[in-house]
Amino acid sequence: MITVESPARPNEPTGATPLVPGADKPSAISRAVQILGSGGLVSFPTETVYGLGADAQNDNALARVFSVKGRPADHPLIVHVAAPAMLEGYARDIPEAAWRLAECFWPGPLTLILKREKGVSDLVTGGQDAVGLRVPSHPLAQSLLAAFGRGIAAPSANRFGRVSPTRAAHVIQEFGDRIDYVLDGGACTVGLESTIVDLSGQRPRLLRPGAITPAALAGVLGELPQPTTASGPRVPGTLASHYAPRTPLRLVDGSRLERTIEQHSGTARSIAVMAMRDCRRNRPYLSWKTMPPTHEEYGRVLFACMREIDEEGHDCLVIERPPLTPEWEAIHDRLTRAANGES
Ligand code: TXA
Ligand code: MG
């Protein structure tokens, strides 16, 4: 049976009422710890997206994560830990750059790929010699990790290839009672999955763009991380089609928005639009979402908008490409994958 608990007032999407560490209802955290300890699956909020958590040392629980998600076994999981000092239990030969990044960006939306310690489960690493580690900043994630005392392996709490969940209700839509517990921490404040930097090789590599930008990383590393190459470790977030809504999607430049809507209006009964401005002009067959103008706010609501559009049920979704400046990189990455090259 799935149970949802809100240990404290949920965050509002704006993050205007942040959860205060220590204000959580302790019984929800202890229940979650108990379930994790006995091999159960607990979904918990992070500042990026909701995770589907399992004890990183329990192979049965880890196997359940893969089966519930429908995720191929060779796609590794991120281990979430309470504090940077815990890296040493999971990684070896930790480069100095890792400590510097941890100091600047943890707790926060950054995942580091490091050489694995011997004891780390092959289910976590997908059989690779590297492990992904992250210290999330969401107060509920922090409380859970502190109370659990060891690593929680957690992919995003969505079925493989689908849009990541940014609210507890999304997790329930995805899994229903196939998981054991959901900690409700309200809407995630970042809304896009963490930036992933691989420090297990000669040079730092960016495996997935996120809220921590290449420029911010370069400020600490002294060099820009290398872009991902096809031969690197398997990362589902780098598949051409990922994060996809069910509604057929067209991603177009602002200059082609009206023409694309016109093209579809002949055959489609209803068209959803996610645009940077409001030009719906009394067309009842359009369901129009005017998207926020800043990349932070846009990232926060992007996945929730896609889910809402799927729920409403439209014949197609037309998305206007947001500005092409560097701070929008992670959003372009997710939009392009969602559109799967159909732009
Ligand atoms: O923001 C996030 O990172 C969220 C929250 C829950 O922490 N988690 C998340 O997990 O997005 P997931 O599994 O959906 O995506 C993690 C990505 C995957 O693409 C996985 O392949 C990659 O991280 N990854 C994990 N461990 C890795 C490793 N050892 N080597 C290379 N890639 C790895
Ligand atoms: Mg994912």
Side-chain angles (χ1 to χ4, degrees):
M1 239 309 262
I2 196 163
T3 317
V4 183
E5 285 280 354
S6 329
R9 270 296 311 139
N11 265 354
E12 293 310 317
T14 57
T17 43
L19 289 165
V20 183
D24 330 335
K25 197 162 86 193
S27 63
I29 297 290
S30 26
R31 181 86 188 103
V33 166
Q34 189 190 18
I35 291 170
L36 287 171
S38 54
L41 303 188
V42 172
S43 178
F44 62 97
T46 79
E47 66 283 14
T48 58
V49 300
Y50 274 72
L52 178 58
D55 181 350
Q57 293 176 15
N58 181 332
D59 278 356
N60 288 332
L62 294 169
R64 241 184 101 199
V65 170
F66 284 91
S67 106
V68 164
K69 261 189 79 94
R71 176 161 169 155
D74 61 354
H75 289 281
L77 305 178
I78 296 170
V79 178
H80 298 69
V81 291
M86 290 176 73
L87 282 189
E88 272 159 337
Y90 298 87
R92 64 173 207 280
D93 305 337
I94 302 171
E96 209 238 309
W99 296 116
R100 277 188 277 129
L101 288 177
E103 165 133 8
C104 280
F105 300 116
W106 278 352
L110 176 70
T111 295
L112 298 179
I113 308 293
L114 299 168
K115 288 186 182 140
R116 73 191 268 190
E117 253 314 345
K118 284 190 290 296
V120 181
S121 168
D122 276 339
L123 287 172
V124 165
T125 63
Q128 303 181 57
D129 191 35
V131 59
L133 290 149
R134 174 159 117 78
V135 179
S137 65
H138 193 294
L140 268 190
Q142 281 275 320
S143 301
L144 179 65
L145 287 162
F148 191 56
R150 48 183 203 269
I152 300 178
S156 52
N158 53 282
R159 281 164 299 141
F160 186 63
R162 290 294 174 196
V163 178
S164 291
T166 53
R167 302 183 185 176
H170 299 163
V171 178
I172 293 162
Q173 276 167 12
E174 289 286 319
F175 299 122
D177 60 6
R178 298 192 69 204
I179 65 175
D180 304 301
Y181 205 58
V182 181
L183 282 170
D184 184 354
C188 301
T189 51
V190 174
L192 300 175
E193 305 86 346
S194 59
T195 304
I196 305 182
V197 180
D198 182 359
L199 294 176
S200 68
Q202 294 290 319
R203 308 277 300 277
R205 286 195 312 138
L206 182 67
L207 298 190
R208 181 171 70 186
I212 314 260
T213 62
L217 295 165
V220 179
L221 292 169
E223 61 177 320
L224 276 171
Q226 306 285 302
T228 318
T229 57
S231 61
R234 292 151 293 216
V235 185
T238 62
L239 295 177
S241 165
H242 210 61
Y243 317 106
R246 289 191 299 269
T247 312
L249 165 55
R250 292 285 309 274
L251 175 63
V252 299
D253 289 339
S255 59
R256 285 178 50 208
L257 183 64
E258 276 303 323
R259 211 179 328 146
T260 309
I261 293 171
E262 284 311 311
Q263 274 168 10
H264 285 272
S265 61
T267 49
R269 266 175 309 111
S270 116
I271 304 172
V273 182
M274 285 163 55
M276 302 306 291
R277 61 225 141 96
D278 185 354
C279 316
R280 78 189 84 192
R281 291 202 313 273
N282 198 24
R283 287 173 283 185
Y285 55 92
L286 295 184
S287 169
W288 196 284
K289 290 190 194 301
T290 305
M291 300 300 286
T294 67
H295 67 95
E296 289 100 338
E297 290 170 273
Y298 192 110
R300 198 173 292 150
V301 299
L302 172 62
F303 291 153
C305 280
M306 286 179 170
R307 280 178 179 272
E308 222 172 280
I309 285 163
D310 274 349
E311 286 298 299
E312 289 165 6
H314 300 282
D315 297 317
C316 64
L317 163 61
V318 182
I319 301 185
E320 178 183 0
R321 215 185 291 281
L324 287 165
T325 44
E327 64 277 13
W328 289 81
E329 181 186 350
I331 289 164
H332 286 293
D333 172 78
R334 305 313 190 267
L335 289 176
T336 307
R337 291 181 204 292
N340 189 17
E342 282 184 41
S343 64

